[in-house]
Amino acid sequence: AALHDIRLVLDEVPGAWIMLRLVVSPPRDWVNAHPEEQLKYSDGSHRSVICTSVTRKQRLDGMYSLCSEAWRREADKAIADFFAELSKHPESARVIGTFLCSGGTSEWYYPGKLETPDGAYADFSEPFRREYGAFLRERYGTVEALRRAWGRPDATFGNPPVPTPEERAFVTKADERIVQSLHDWERYDRTIGGSVDLDGRTTANLGVFLNCNTHRHVADFYTAWHRAPARTIVHFAKTLKRLCPGRLVGAFYGSFGCQDFFDGGTASGT
């Protein structure tokens, strides 16, 4: 199919240079056969999602982890096979690069929510637990330093805590509260019993800002969460540079300012 599309372009513009959009997402059968590589919620469940990437639209039993080592290994083989086949054709000389596509709408985020309407929250998967632990070891060096920074004597590298929905409110709820306050401000003084809540402070957050004095572990969770898909992008970029050293590599990553994408994990890992 890729060769067919390349030929269509070159038939119209013989001098064109081609940047391929390459879906590196695992196929549905692989995802559904590997629940241990899927996003996992606090109640032990995996939630079905529709994941769209380029022309592929798949309903999955659970969203695959964007830091799954098993997926990285399998995809490396598929990428090598794809370019080995493509190199047999003269049209491959017109390909100057590859754009890596995975996750929701090819943009390396998780479709669906980290927090569900019934109160479950993610991610408790083994792939992310390993990624999170490795990040904390890199940042703090020793368990003692980790516990001092977090102010939590029970903190460990092996099983770091995943923040609760209440601790994530600065991402998931703060915007709603601000908008509600603006609405209330317009009408509170002409409504019997009306009031307006302008105090955005809680134990975990100060308005839309996390209170890192008491909740440093939430900041570390999100940093590790955003770094995980970024590290996978870098992994596949290295694979492509090894196979095709003279070609460009790109990816959709770095959406910032949209809270859904912040929760989804495609912001601060750039």
Side-chain angles (χ1 to χ4, degrees), residues 165-181:
E166 292 76 20
E167 292 173 322
R168 301 174 186 178
F170 76 105
V171 166
T172 58
K173 304 295 183 189
D175 280 352
E176 294 177 16
R177 290 192 63 193
I178 290 169
V179 171
Q180 189 60 50
S181 293

Side-chain angles (χ1 to χ4, degrees), residues 243-256:
L243 294 169
C244 315
R247 290 178 179 164
L248 300 169
V249 182
F252 288 121
Y253 184 92
S255 305
F256 195 69

Side-chain angles (χ1 to χ4, degrees), residues 9 23 33 55 91 105 111 114 117 129-130 162 173 184 188 197 199 217 219 221 223 225-226 235 238 248 256-257 265:
V9 174
V23 177
T55 57
E91 293 88 349
T105 57
L114 279 181
R129 187 196 65 78
R130 289 195 299 265
V162 175
K173 304 295 183 189
D184 291 344
Y188 86 98
D197 178 13
D199 189 350
H217 67 286
F221 164 80
T223 302
W225 181 246
H226 291 181
H235 171 91
K238 287 181 176 179
L248 300 169
F256 195 69

Side-chain angles (χ1 to χ4, degrees), residues 214-230:
T214 56
H215 287 71
R216 176 71 175 270
H217 67 286
V218 181
D220 284 335
F221 164 80
Y222 273 119
T223 302
W225 181 246
H226 291 181
R227 191 181 80 150

